[in-house]
Amino acid sequence: FKGGDISAIFGGGKLDLRDAKVHKDGAKLTINAIFGGVEVLVPKDCKIVTSGTGVMGGWESKIASRETKSPVLEITGTAIFGGVEVKE
C-alpha cells in the first residue's frame, strides 16, 4: 500500500487495511469527510501517525503507541460536520 485519498460526502465508508502491506518507504492516506463518516482499520506491523482536523465534526485515533519505527502510515485530513475514526 502506497497511499491514497478518500472522500465521504453525505455518506460513509470503511477502509480495512489490516491485511495490507505498507510500502517500505511509507504511505500517506488523506481522508476528507463532509456530512459523512469514514472508519479506517490499520495494520499492526507499521507505525501510524495521524493528524486531522474536525470542524463541527470529529477526528479520532484509537491507535496505541507502537515500538516499530518503519514503515510509517501517515493519515491526515478533515472532518466537516462528519467524522473520521482510525482504529486497529
Side-chain angles (χ1 to χ4, degrees):
F1 181 74
K2 292 182 180 180
D5 298 305
I6 297 175
S7 294
I9 302 171
F10 290 103
K14 180 176 184 177
L15 178 62
D16 188 347
L17 296 173
R18 290 178 292 182
D19 292 328
K21 198 76 161 158
V22 175
H23 192 272
K24 64 180 180 172
D25 294 330
K28 183 171 183 176
L29 179 62
T30 303
I31 303 171
N32 292 301
I34 302 170
F35 290 99
V38 176
E39 177 183 23
V40 181
L41 302 167
V42 296
K44 294 183 185 260
D45 62 347
C46 66
K47 182 174 181 149
I48 307 297
V49 176
T50 63
S51 173
T53 303
V55 179
M56 301 299 281
W59 180 278
E60 183 176 13
S61 176
K62 295 183 175 179
I63 305 300
S65 179
R66 297 180 177 176
E67 292 184 23
T68 184
K69 299 230 187 258
S70 66
V72 175
L73 172 56
E74 181 182 359
I75 303 173
T76 62
T78 305
I80 301 172
F81 290 102
V84 174
E85 183 178 21
V86 180
K87 60 186 183 179
E88 295 180 287

